[in-house]
């Protein structure tokens, strides 16, 4: 899906949140390229198109994280 999302001209950011730990993978469009960031813990997630900053740990507050299975 990521390959397809990159082709959407209006898409500025793509954020993946882990269900196992407090981690966000953030892809941000920088002209014709994409910048990758991996945020953890109390890092601030910045949504430039929304002028919004959110502390990552606040997104996860009150949630139970799923244990990763060892398959």
């Amino acid at each position: 899906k990521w390959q397809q999302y990159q082709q959407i001209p209006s898409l500025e950011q793509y954020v993946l949140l882990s269900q196992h730990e407090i981690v966000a993978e953030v892809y941000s469009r920088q002209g014709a390229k994409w910048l990758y960031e991996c945020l953890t813990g109390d890092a601030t997630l910045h949504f430039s198109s929304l002028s919004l900053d959110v502390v990552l740990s606040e997104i996860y507050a009150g949630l139970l994280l799923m244990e990763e299975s060892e398959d």
Side-chain angles (χ1 to χ4, degrees), residues 2-58:
W2 172 231
Q3 297 290 344
Q4 295 170 339
Y5 289 148
Q6 291 180 63
Q7 305 306 314
I8 301 171
S10 61
L11 184 67
E12 295 179 20
Q13 284 183 306
Y14 179 67
V15 179
L16 298 168
L17 297 173
S18 172
Q19 61 186 359
H20 303 290
E21 56 189 332
I22 300 175
V23 173
E25 294 182 274
V26 182
Y27 296 87
S28 301
R29 188 183 300 270
Q30 302 292 313
K33 297 182 181 183
W34 287 90
L35 174 68
Y36 171 79
E37 291 180 274
C38 183
L39 304 175
T40 61
D42 288 328
T44 299
L45 179 54
H46 176 67
F47 294 98
S48 55
S49 62
L50 302 173
S51 297
L52 175 68
D53 291 325
V54 180
V55 176
L56 188 56
S57 60
E58 290 180 8

